[in-house]
């Protein structure tokens, strides 16, 4: 049986590595990307089960990536990750189609619980 694949689009190398390590420890397959444009390409060319998407990215910002993902793969679960925790930003992310919105800093335990919840709802 194939493992659940999570695409991690995060430009901060330390955060990306930490996310990947935590997800792999929980048994998920992980594909890391450091740029928004490359992450979008990976999401459209591959078949991830969920995308963890930073907002502030080089190449293409997270909101742009989210809009394009929603057009091409409307049912693909996406959790936004960002340091931009203003209510306006959280609402924008959710209105544009994110399934959840997590503000940095966050604990790995909380993020894993949110990943599991979103995957459960999308099954």
């Amino acid at each position: 049986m194939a493992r659940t694949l999570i695409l991690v689009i995060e430009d901060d190398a330390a955060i990306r590595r930490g996310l990947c390590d935590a997800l792999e420890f929980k048994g998920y397959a992980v594909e890391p990307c450091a740029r928004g444009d490359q992450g979008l390409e990976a999401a459209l060319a591959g078949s991830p089960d969920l995308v963890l998407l930073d907002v502030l990215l080089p190449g293409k910002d997270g909101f742009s990536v989210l809009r394009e993902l929603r057009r091409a793969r409307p049912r693909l679960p996406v959790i936004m990750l960002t340091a931009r925790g203003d209510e306006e930003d959280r609402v924008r992310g959710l209105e544009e189609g994110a399934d959840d919105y997590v503000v940095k800093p966050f604990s790995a335990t909380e993020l894993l619980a949110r990943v599991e919840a979103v995957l459960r709802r999308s099954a």
Side-chain angles (χ1 to χ4, degrees):
M1 183 164 117
R3 292 191 302 164
T4 300
L5 175 62
I6 299 179
L7 176 61
V8 177
I9 309 172
E10 166 63 60
D11 64 322
D12 184 292
I15 294 173
R16 187 174 59 249
R17 182 75 254 148
L19 289 169
C20 291
D21 287 348
L23 291 163
E24 288 170 344
F25 182 77
K26 285 295 272 188
Y28 295 107
V30 179
E31 181 177 353
C33 276
R35 296 177 50 90
D37 51 353
Q38 294 168 346
L40 176 62
E41 184 178 310
L44 297 177
S47 55
D49 297 293
L50 182 138
V51 176
L52 293 179
L53 177 62
D54 189 13
V55 171
L56 300 174
L57 292 165
K60 187 177 287 273
D61 72 86
F63 289 122
S64 298
V65 171
L66 178 62
R67 279 191 299 278
E68 292 188 43
L69 281 177
R70 283 294 161 247
R71 280 195 293 274
R73 300 201 47 205
R75 295 191 179 274
L76 177 62
V78 177
I79 298 175
M80 303 291 289
L81 305 174
T82 185
R84 295 173 59 171
D86 295 339
E87 179 181 17
E88 180 179 319
D89 290 323
R90 292 191 313 267
V91 169
R92 177 180 175 197
L94 294 168
E95 285 179 342
E96 291 194 19
D99 296 283
D100 202 349
Y101 195 101
V102 181
V103 178
K104 298 174 189 174
F106 50 82
S107 74
T109 304
E110 177 187 2
L111 181 67
L112 290 169
R114 289 176 181 269
V115 164
E116 291 170 8
V118 168
L119 288 170
R120 211 175 27 252
R121 286 193 304 266
S122 68

